[in-house]
Every structure is written in structure tokens, then in C-alpha cells.
Amino acid sequence: MKIFTTENIRSADQYTIQNEPVSSVNLMERAAQSCTEWITLKCKNHTKFAVFCGKGNNGGDGFAIARLLYLKGFDVDVLIDKANSKFSDDALINLKRLKEISGITLHDFSETDEFDFEKTVIIDALFGTGLSRNLDGIYKDLIENLNKKISPKISIDIPSGMFSDQLNGPNDVIFKADYTLTFQFWKKTFLHPETGVFAGKVVVLDIKLSQEFIDQTQTDDFVIDDALILKIFKPRQEFAHKGTYGKSIIVGGSYGKIGAAVLATKSALRTGSGLTFVLAPNCGYEILQTNCPEAMFINGGENYISRIDEQEKAIYGIGPGLETEKETENALLEFLKNHQSPLILDADALNIISQDENYLKLIPKKSIITPHPKEFERLFGKTENSVERSGLAKTKAKELEIYIVLKDHHTQVLTPNGQVYYNVTGNSGMAKGGSGDILTGIITSLLAQKYSSEEAAILGVWLHGKAADLAAEKYSREAMQPTDVIDEIGNVFLYLNKKATTQL
């Protein structure tokens, strides 16, 4: 799914209006109906709604939603700034339609504290994507007040006060939604932690904007969705053998950190690698052979890895539990000087490389690195925020001709062509040691199975997050363990195979 800027979205609206054709007010009605259908389905236990409407088209959406909810039998109150009578044309049409319904009372924002919000859903339709300044005055006070309410909160299109294309300042006032019902596209600021926290759970509603316009409009920013994954995914062939699905070699582990190598190896196996090896120090031999009997062991040293032997036609995933001992550093650098094929580098492999900027030049072209924010900082330097970090990652991916998997709440895959793919699977239950090791194993396995570097990175982060979502459903985000994520990889492949079959 493409991510569009505010300007792109505005152009998509106009193109749809002119070429469908449909009037702007009827397009607004279409959006309001989509919201109302979702709200009706999800808010069955609530009978009251307080809809806060601004004077622009976002307020027009709110007026239309209020009217439609009332016609479905809900109690609805609408609150506006009665001192300001300047509404957009479409908002004014929907306000007039609302006034024709005697059962809906219009209140002023100043009456907010007189309301009993018990069992009432608050709907925010104050400001949309066109906002270009920080909130102040009555709107700032209103949103600060509403954020204190314990009622469920829904924002329409974007939480009021949030910018669409750039981060807000740390002291900006933004409506804190439990759900954001957004139209057609993810907004970029939903995907960065500084602002995304205000959006709550994002629900993208298809309001049938012109597919022709969407297809022909270029962007470098994408959300990884099922449609993209099904284009990448290759179902297992009937007539195949273990050589068909490649050779993975996980390089990792050290005294006291063999578990990281176990997790990466297990996830590589579960993701379908034809042949899987683990190159680890001898101190981990029994642990690895016991926990990963399907994998073959390669001795890489005693307590730490001191040598990394080259094998033909193998894909290497290097880093989990590696440690940064001098003998390990020497082994890694010597290996990289002679290895030409794409590989995956994570964790301590990245920490070793970060010790000298010249080491970055040793990374083979089309390789994949998977840093978390601190590892990224060690590699490339400090940034002020996640958007700046993403921009720097885009620059470095182009410069080094590699793929950067920038791990975050919404992990990003940055390509040498300047594209950014945001992953929206996964959850906070993954914030545990070992999760990154699993991702390394998954991506290594996919690259071994002849997925391109870009495909392996995109499918890998999606698969990792999807498995984590299934684990959270079973065990909760608090209790789920990295091993539970590995166990759910098979269920994700069942899901993909079923989806792929239905498309035939």
C-alpha cells in the first residue's frame, strides 16, 4: 500500500471527484458511511456519542457521522465553536442536514464540562490532514480537557493536532485516540513512535478513491500489506528436494550466549531453509545439537568464534550472541574481506563493524543489516528523531548499496533505490531479548531460498511480526516468549498458502 502526502491525498480526492464523477459532498458522505459502519459494528456496547466538530471538512465528516449514527438509533450530541460560523462549503451542507434532525442538539465547546461522559464514545472530527500549525486557544484547551476523559476515543482520519507529513514538536497538543479511522491511506506520522502513539489502533477505510490515480502516482513510501506479501510469497513446489531451498549458515553464539544462536537457527529451520548449519563455538555444541537436531554444527572456536569458514552457495546470517572479542572481530573482518555474496548482519556483527567506518565498506552489495536504534546510532551517528533516523538510513542504504532493516515499533525496510517499506505487523510483546535473533534466522532462510534481498527483508519482517501477533493472541503480549513466535511461523505459512490458493 502506498503512503501519500497530504498534497497527494488532496489530488486523489479531486481526481476522483472529476473522473468518477462524484460530488465532493457525496464523497464526504461515502467516507462518513464507512466510519459509521465500523463504529456501529465495534461500539455495540455503547449507546451515546459526543461528536466534536471543527469548521473544515473534517468537521463535515463529523456532522455526517453524527447524523448517520442518530439514524441508526444512537444518542448523539454534537459540539462546535458557536462563536465561529465560517465553515467549509461541504461542512456547511452537512451542518444544515444535521440541523434538520430535531433529536440532535448542537452544543458549544464551553459546555463540555457539563456533559456526563459515562458510557459515551468521544469522536474527534476537529482537524484533518490540512492542519499546518500548532493548536492554541480554545482548541488546545478543549483537546487537553478531552484527553483527560476516560471514555473511548475515536479520531476521524487523523488525531486533531497531529501533522500528516512531519513530526510534531514534543510539547504540541494532540488528541489521544484509542482508534483512528483513516481514509484510504496510512499517514506517515502514524508510523513513527513520537506521533504514532496518539493514533491508537489505525483502521484504514477504503472510500473508493480513484484506483487509476493511486496506480499512476509515484511515491517512495509504502506500508507492507497482504497484497504486497502475496506478490512476494512463493508457495512450496510439489517436486522439490532439500537442495531446492538453499543452504543457511547461522554464525553466532559465545560462552553464555548460545541461546541467541539457538533462536536464530530454530527460526531459520521453521522458515523452510533446505539445509541449515550453525557455526558456533564448541562450548555450545551440546546445547545446539540438543535444541536444534535438524541443523548441522560447524565448530568455529572454543568459547568464542575465532574462524568463519567459507562454504559454497551458502547464505550467512552473522551476529546473534556473537560477542565482540578480538579473535571474533578478526574472524569476521577476514571473512568479509573475502566474501562477495549478500549476507545478513545483526547484533554484535554490527557492533564490530561500527568500531571503524571503513569496515562498512566490507559489507557485500545487496546485503541486509538489521540494526535496532542504538546499533544504528553506533554505525551511522546520532539523529534527533525517528524520521531523521529513517532519512539517514535511506542515505546510507543508497551509499552502501545495501538493505537496512531499521527495527522499531513499525520496522522499516530501506532499499538502495530510496524506497521505504513500513511493517505494521507485530506488537509490544516482541520487546524482549531474542526477538531480533529470530528475525535474523528468518531473513537468512528466505535469502537462501532464492528470494531477492528486497523480498527477503520485506517478507521477513512481515512474517516475524505476523507470527508475534498470533503468539500474543494465545499468550498475551506480557507472557509471550520469543520461542512462541518461532512456533507460530508455521501458522503464518498456512495463512499465506490459503490466501495464495484462493487467488488462483
Side-chain angles (χ1 to χ4, degrees), residues 206-240:
D206 183 359
I207 60 170
K208 308 300 181 185
L209 293 182
S210 169
Q211 191 61 47
E212 181 181 26
F213 179 90
I214 294 169
D215 291 342
Q216 69 187 17
T217 302
Q218 298 299 310
T219 179
D220 287 330
D221 296 326
F222 302 85
V223 164
I224 303 171
D225 59 6
D226 281 17
L228 175 59
I229 291 301
L230 288 169
K231 288 180 182 177
I232 294 173
F233 174 60
K234 303 171 187 176
R236 206 80 165 177
Q237 300 171 19
E238 289 294 337
F239 294 93

Side-chain angles (χ1 to χ4, degrees), residues 134-153:
N134 300 333
L135 296 184
D136 55 17
I138 63 168
Y139 287 101
K140 177 177 179 290
D141 294 340
L142 175 64
I143 290 177
E144 286 180 332
N145 189 4
L146 293 177
N147 283 344
K148 296 174 184 177
K149 309 297 182 187
I150 61 173
S151 302
K153 300 179 183 71

Side-chain angles (χ1 to χ4, degrees), residues 431-502:
K432 298 182 176 78
S435 291
D437 305 319
I438 294 171
L439 180 61
T440 297
I442 289 172
I443 297 177
T444 303
S445 181
L446 293 172
L447 197 57
Q449 293 173 64
K450 307 299 189 293
Y451 286 94
S452 70
S453 297
E454 184 168 311
E455 291 170 338
I458 292 171
L459 178 56
V461 298
W462 180 90
L463 176 62
H464 185 220
K466 190 75 170 178
D469 287 339
L470 295 178
E473 288 177 11
K474 279 189 178 181
Y475 302 107
S476 79
R477 296 182 183 188
E478 292 80 7
M480 61 180 277
Q481 295 298 308
T483 48
D484 299 324
V485 176
I486 296 172
D487 291 342
E488 293 298 330
I489 291 173
N491 287 323
V492 181
F493 279 119
L494 288 173
Y495 169 84
L496 284 176
N497 278 287
K498 185 176 180 180
K499 283 272 193 179
T501 302
T502 58

